[in-house]
Amino acid sequence: MLKYIVKRLLLLIPILLAVSVVVFLILRLGEGDPAMSYLRLSNIPPTDEALAVARTALGLDQPLPVQYAAWLGKALTLDFGRSYVTGNPVLGEILYYLPNTLKLAGFSLLLTLAISLPLGIWSALYKDRLPDHVTRVLAFTGVSMPSFWLGFLLVWLFSIHLKWLPPMGMGTMSHMLMPAVTMSLMSLAINTRLIRGNMLDNMHARYVLYARARGLPERVVVGRHVLVNSLIPVITAVGMHVGELFGGAVVAESIFSWPGVGRYAVSAIYNRDFPVMQCFILIMTTIFVLMNLCVDILYAWLDPRIRLEGGTRQ
Amino acid sequence: MRTLFRLAFATLLACAMLLPVLSVQSAHAADKDTLTYSWASNVGPLNPHLYSPSQMFAQALVYEPLVRYGKDGTVQPWLAESWEISPDGKVYTFALRKNVTFSDGTPFDADAVKKNFDAVLRNAESHDWLEFIAQIDKTEVVDAHTFRLTLKNSYYPALQELCLIRPMRFLSPSAFPDDGDTGKSIKAPVGTGPWKLVEIRRGEHDIFEANENYWGEKPKFKRLVVKVIPDSDGRAVAFDTGVIDLIYGAGGHGAGQIGLDTFRRYAEMPGLKTDVSKPLATRNFALNSKRFPTDDLAVRTAILHGVNKAAIVKHIFLGVEPQADTLFSPNMPYCDLGLAPFTHDLEKAKAGLEAAGWKTVAGSEYRMKDGKELALDLCFVGNDSLQKTVAEAVQGDLKRLGMKVRLVGEEADSFYTRQRTGEFGMIFGDTWGAPYDPHSFCSGMRVPSHADYQAQLGLPMKEEIDRAIGEVLVSVDEDKRSELYRYIITTLHEQAVYLPLSYMTNIYVHRPDLTGVDFGPTKYEMPFDSIGRQ
């Protein structure tokens, strides 16, 4: 198991290298010119002289391979350069905003699980009856509604009309509710249907029949056997939801002025702040890879039938 | 199992009922001592001698100029009480205001002024765009309250450019870095202005406090909170829910504070105070006189007569930006010239095209001349919804004349590259606004990397125009200067190189409890100090 984890972690290095090359090239081969963006932000007319000064200041006057080598050399020491816009070290800026996003994403994940689990079980137990219909409508709505639209609707209802929740910013628990719901509704809807489907499949499995034949009470049959077995595919889904949550954070943070890394990345994209975009994508890649690894480990731990490559279950 | 669910639902229900308890009353901005405003980003480190990421409006709150741009376009005394200009226009002697201190108590005197000028000159290449900096020859301390500036040539807009928010405002000598080079960083943002920056919370807000040592009239509010709200719809929600007190700045999506449609909605809502400022700059199209088919004066004139600006202003700018008929608004210095506007007149436009040989052809929607179709490229920023809508309206208007307009919507950087290289038929542009108009904008017309230069390149009198611009900037005779501006502006008007669309304005929206809200003389000078609460 340990060997497997180490191997997967080592695999991260070539992945990150490849990602960094691709991102570096894509950003620079595009039409955009960060020197021009810098001048625009500074309200300086982009004359050729001003552009040349800005290019030198931003290190854009070097050939691409030199720029990449310089960047990589520093990146190896965790120096991802300075933001073109703020002039601050990029990693410091991202790490400043990242905890806020993690807080929001963590809360959204909790919300997703806390609601989808009971709803999924409920609709499975009452298949084709009212609870099932209610959750079905909820799930379809959740999947079909774009998150930015949902965000605006929530603000309109809970902030403007009812005046219950603050429309933006960070601070109390109440600031977190609407962005978290906006981010989690789609994952929540998918999860609910997934759990329902798995539960129904498992309920007809033979081991359930045997369990019932052994005279186990229904509570134990459903709670210990059906539920646990239905959760395994959900873990894969949750692994993917984490990615979705970070993507969703970009939208939710912009709508709710949440000072997170998603909103920071959006402004970096607008301003062609290359060092920020590169560092952001690398950090997101690392999070994705690590999440997948966690899912694989959890899988093996939950289901003895699954053996991890190259070893036996520890 | 059933009990479990009952429990779960009871919890959910309880949470839902708790919502109102967590309610927003506390978020309400209506605090007696605090004015809450919002901006798209943090205000930045507020180095007075540098640019992005410091925000101009905030630099203007903390730092002050020697002279100030007045609402009537004249230059007024500020940190300098008076000044004398030598007859050759090269030596400026400023008598500094006495009893002025920086917000940290350091006295403001001629030494401080010289120190700041020298710091700016040390990094002159970053201020290349500003002719005034390039013209400075010498800075001298005459006595504690007299400062002398010598220019290389007489350069009349020196005073106008001293009014600018950056780079020529004053940092406390105590806040200079040890090596004196403000081009890298400063110790703290300390100025003489009415506000002090006291707190920065990245991505959340910046807080200013009134400067107790301020020499002029002190701000009525004790604190100014600037919330970070990047999105214009988010800003409207913040205003609706009382998170912010005031919306103030440019209108329109993107760089604006709120969309024009949102402003209209507020303007029609009873119980809110809204207003639109005087023209601050001009939104226009530059028509390329060097490129086919706009190299033909008849085509340019036809475009000016063909576009229905009244409709564009009414339906797209929703009346927030007034119709512009001249490149510079008549309220700008030297610009009240009584030029006759090109009225919307389809028949006149068609007749002009006919006379110039642009004939309608059977079976084609568009006119032809010498076998070539009357077609041009109109370039705009693709994701700028305002530009896109205007471009479509213009396309429709010109089609009625038999002119084909190809819309070229691209991302911002490509658009600006076209401005610089002249690869356009018609392209959006703005004048720089007060206090740059007309002198800096005209000065830029001589620079090849400007759309204006490119658009004018085909004019037979381009050299003469450039010479007149060069002359007007160094002229010391007021009458001669007026005459030269009259020549430049009238020629450009008659040659139909610009299609002025609308005058850009600032807008404000607030609830009636705020008093003293008024517009500043330029786009980024916001008179927060005069605002109070009843």
Side-chain angles (χ1 to χ4, degrees):
Chain A
M1 180 76 141
L2 194 68
K3 206 172 140 196
Y4 172 76
I5 294 175
V6 170
K7 196 173 142 197
R8 285 282 299 264
L9 285 177
L10 284 178
L11 208 63
L12 232 166
I13 297 170
I15 291 177
L16 287 180
L17 260 181
V19 168
S20 76
V21 173
V22 170
V23 171
F24 195 90
L25 284 180
I26 287 180
L27 289 181
R28 277 156 184 84
L29 294 180
E31 283 267 10
D33 180 355
M36 185 88 93
S37 303
Y38 172 80
L39 294 180
R40 196 147 35 89
L41 287 175
S42 299
N43 291 30
I44 298 177
T47 59
D48 285 339
E49 296 79 23
L51 273 171
V53 171
R55 283 210 186 95
T56 315
L58 302 178
L60 296 163
D61 50 345
Q62 306 283 329
L64 272 189
V66 177
Q67 284 187 42
Y68 180 74
W71 175 83
L72 188 66
K74 284 187 179 169
L76 290 178
T77 61
L78 290 184
D79 174 3
F80 290 92
R82 285 173 180 269
S83 155
Y84 290 165
V85 177
T86 65
N88 295 329
V90 167
L91 191 64
E93 294 251 294
I94 290 189
L95 291 182
Y96 177 87
Y97 292 113
L98 190 61
N100 296 340
T101 300
L102 288 178
K103 211 180 340 175
L104 195 59
F107 184 66
S108 305
L109 191 61
L110 267 182
L111 204 68
T112 305
L113 293 177
I115 297 178
S116 65
L117 217 58
L119 277 188
I121 301 170
W122 194 37
S123 55
L125 291 180
Y126 295 89
K127 182 173 174 283
D128 292 333
R129 282 156 63 191
L130 186 67
D132 193 24
H133 295 315
V134 171
T135 52
R136 186 174 292 137
V137 171
L138 269 177
F140 280 138
T141 319
V143 174
S144 329
M145 178 127 43
S147 58
F148 70 89
W149 176 239
L150 172 69
F152 284 129
L153 286 183
L154 289 175
V155 169
W156 177 79
L157 181 64
F158 290 107
S159 298
I160 297 180
H161 265 261
L162 299 171
K163 298 192 191 307
W164 286 1
L165 290 171
M168 59 185 58
M170 197 177 71
T172 59
M173 192 64 185
S174 56
H175 286 90
M176 204 143 57
L177 274 177
M178 286 196 294
V181 169
T182 305
M183 281 163 66
S184 55
L185 190 68
M186 186 179 282
S187 316
L188 192 155
I190 296 172
N191 242 10
T192 306
R193 297 297 291 173
L194 196 65
I195 293 170
R196 173 188 178 275
N198 288 338
M199 292 265 302
L200 290 178
D201 282 350
N202 276 307
M203 279 210 222
H204 301 294
R206 269 188 294 178
Y207 71 87
V208 175
L209 190 67
Y210 299 149
R212 288 202 173 112
R214 271 155 59 207
L216 290 180
E218 191 64 13
R219 184 164 45 86
V220 177
V221 174
V222 174
R224 191 171 300 164
H225 296 279
V226 176
L227 188 59
V228 170
N229 278 300
S230 306
L231 284 185
I232 292 179
V234 174
I235 290 170
T236 317
V238 167
M240 290 193 293
H241 292 329
V242 172
E244 275 165 25
L245 286 175
F246 275 99
V250 172
V251 174
E253 287 176 3
S254 298
I255 295 175
F256 296 98
S257 287
W258 185 271
V261 77
R263 199 183 71 171
Y264 181 61
V266 170
S267 68
I269 292 168
Y270 273 122
N271 300 330
R272 309 207 163 276
D273 200 340
F274 289 173
V276 174
M277 287 152 78
Q278 271 156 220
C279 185
F280 175 74
I281 293 173
L282 287 184
I283 289 183
M284 287 301 127
T285 312
T286 314
I287 291 180
F288 262 73
V289 173
L290 291 183
M291 268 328 287
N292 281 340
L293 180 61
C294 288
V295 166
D296 289 350
I297 295 169
L298 263 179
Y299 240 73
W301 178 65
L302 272 180
D303 188 347
R305 289 170 302 176
I306 300 170
R307 294 273 184 276
L308 290 180
E309 180 197 353
T312 52
R313 190 171 159 252
Q314 304 291 305
Chain B
M1 215 57 204
R2 213 162 265 208
T3 353
L4 193 74
F5 282 118
R6 285 208 188 116
L7 206 69
F9 276 93
T11 320
L12 272 180
L13 204 67
C15 286
M17 285 166 75
L18 266 177
L19 277 182
V21 183
L22 304 165
S23 74
V24 270
Q25 271 91 12
S26 60
H28 251 263
D31 163 4
K32 190 162 78 24
D33 294 326
T34 308
L35 176 67
T36 312
Y37 177 64
S38 68
W39 196 252
S41 62
N42 279 103
V43 299
L46 297 195
N47 183 330
H49 305 154
L50 287 185
Y51 303 89
S52 174
S54 294
Q55 300 298 307
M56 286 172 85
F57 88 93
Q59 285 170 309
L61 298 178
V62 173
Y63 304 104
E64 294 182 297
L66 284 180
V67 288
R68 211 172 138 157
Y69 192 84
K71 276 191 179 172
D72 52 358
T74 58
V75 174
Q76 297 170 349
W78 204 249
L79 288 179
E81 279 181 322
S82 61
W83 59 90
E84 273 173 25
I85 307 173
S86 65
D88 65 356
K90 288 188 185 171
V91 183
Y92 287 67
T93 311
F94 295 94
L96 303 180
R97 191 177 290 279
K98 291 174 184 124
N99 302 322
V100 174
T101 57
F102 289 94
S103 60
D104 64 350
T106 311
F108 169 80
D109 54 18
D111 282 324
V113 173
K114 182 171 162 56
K115 200 172 164 90
N116 275 274
F117 264 90
D118 293 348
V120 169
L121 290 174
R122 194 166 162 173
N123 294 297
E125 77 283 358
S126 3
H127 315 297
D128 239 5
W129 64 279
L130 191 61
E131 182 62 23
F132 167 64
I133 302 295
Q135 289 291 348
I136 298 178
D137 184 31
K138 217 164 45 174
T139 59
E140 290 166 273
V141 174
V142 178
D143 63 44
H145 295 289
T146 314
F147 171 73
R148 185 176 294 144
L149 185 69
T150 310
L151 303 182
K152 292 172 190 156
N153 303 294
S154 70
Y155 178 67
Y156 100 83
L159 287 176
Q160 272 81 357
E161 294 185 0
L162 272 172
C163 300
L164 296 181
I165 293 174
R166 54 199 187 191
M168 224 33 277
R169 293 197 176 191
F170 304 98
L171 175 73
S172 170
S174 64
F176 269 65
D178 294 331
D179 64 356
D181 186 2
T182 54
K184 293 195 193 94
S185 65
I186 56 171
K187 279 185 184 162
V190 183
T192 57
W195 299 94
K196 301 184 285 188
L197 177 64
V198 293
E199 187 185 311
I200 296 179
R201 276 180 79 112
R202 277 187 271 171
E204 293 179 65
H205 61 243
D206 300 292
I207 298 179
F208 294 85
E209 263 175 21
N211 174 6
E212 289 302 318
N213 298 328
Y214 188 53
W215 59 272
E217 198 174 323
K218 293 189 180 64
K220 295 192 169 61
F221 276 104
K222 283 189 184 139
R223 282 174 12 128
L224 169 67
V225 176
V226 182
K227 298 239 178 209
V228 178
I229 304 178
D231 176 57
S232 56
D233 292 322
R235 181 168 294 110
V237 169
F239 181 76
D240 288 335
T241 51
V243 172
I244 59 171
D245 290 313
L246 176 69
I247 292 169
Y248 183 117
H253 280 287
Q257 282 257 311
I258 48 171
L260 297 178
D261 45 347
T262 314
F263 177 77
R264 266 288 129 229
R265 177 167 68 85
Y266 285 138
E268 281 155 17
M269 264 163 78
L272 288 183
K273 303 256 184 196
T274 57
D275 204 358
V276 178
S277 76
K278 282 203 290 195
L280 294 170
T282 315
R283 205 188 282 275
N284 60 64
F285 280 107
L287 311 183
N288 197 334
S289 65
K290 186 96 201 284
R291 251 192 169 207
F292 176 85
T294 37
D295 53 352
D296 184 347
L297 176 62
V299 172
R300 299 200 299 271
T301 314
I303 293 174
L304 264 71
H305 282 301
V307 173
N308 187 353
K309 281 193 272 190
I312 290 177
V313 161
K314 184 175 173 203
H315 298 293
I316 302 176
F317 295 111
L318 303 173
V320 179
E321 293 189 5
Q323 178 173 335
D325 288 318
T326 48
L327 176 60
F328 298 111
S329 148
N331 68 342
M332 296 293 165
Y334 307 106
C335 296
D336 192 4
L337 301 171
L339 298 172
F342 288 84
T343 48
H344 176 53
D345 188 338
L346 285 184
E347 291 317 311
K348 204 168 175 177
K350 282 181 189 165
L353 288 174
E354 286 286 338
W358 294 100
K359 304 286 183 199
T360 46
V361 185
S364 169
E365 285 181 288
Y366 302 109
R367 288 172 190 268
M368 308 272 279
K369 181 180 173 181
D370 305 332
K372 282 179 165 173
E373 196 179 46
L374 182 52
L376 59 101
D377 291 335
L378 189 164
C379 308
F380 63 99
V381 178
N383 60 4
D384 183 326
S385 55
L386 203 67
Q387 284 194 2
K388 185 165 182 273
T389 321
V390 172
E392 285 164 353
V394 169
Q395 185 185 39
D397 282 346
L398 296 185
K399 193 175 177 187
R400 282 189 205 118
L401 300 180
M403 204 181 288
K404 183 182 193 173
V405 175
R406 290 180 294 255
L407 298 185
V408 183
E410 290 170 318
E411 57 121 27
D413 288 348
S414 311
F415 169 84
Y416 289 109
T417 305
R418 279 183 189 271
Q419 282 198 337
R420 296 176 52 238
T421 53
E423 281 173 56
F424 58 85
M426 288 172 83
I427 198 160
F428 276 94
D430 306 329
T431 66
W432 299 359
Y436 304 94
D437 284 349
H439 70 273
S440 295
F441 190 76
C442 285
S443 174
M445 290 173 183
R446 298 173 302 166
V447 182
S449 57
H450 283 200
D452 306 287
Y453 177 87
Q454 298 293 342
Q456 295 169 17
L457 206 52
L459 297 183
M461 66 294 278
K462 172 64 176 159
E463 272 181 34
E464 214 175 323
I465 294 174
D466 285 358
R467 201 174 325 119
I469 294 172
E471 229 175 293
V472 79
L473 293 177
V474 297
S475 156
V476 283
D477 177 0
E478 185 65 37
D479 290 337
K480 191 177 169 206
R481 211 180 288 156
S482 303
E483 218 26 67
L484 285 165
Y485 272 126
R486 176 177 290 280
Y487 165 74
I488 298 164
I489 296 169
T490 310
T491 309
L492 292 175
H493 184 76
E494 286 167 353
Q495 288 297 317
V497 205
Y498 292 97
L499 164 60
L501 271 178
S502 66
Y503 294 125
M504 299 161 88
T505 51
N506 268 352
I507 49 120
Y508 69 64
V509 183
H510 65 87
R511 279 172 279 273
D513 58 335
L514 288 191
T515 55
V517 182
D518 197 3
F519 290 105
T522 65
K523 211 167 159 185
Y524 292 109
E525 283 178 297
M526 307 183 176
F528 290 135
D529 18 331
S530 64
I531 300 178
R533 200 190 299 282
Q534 275 172 353

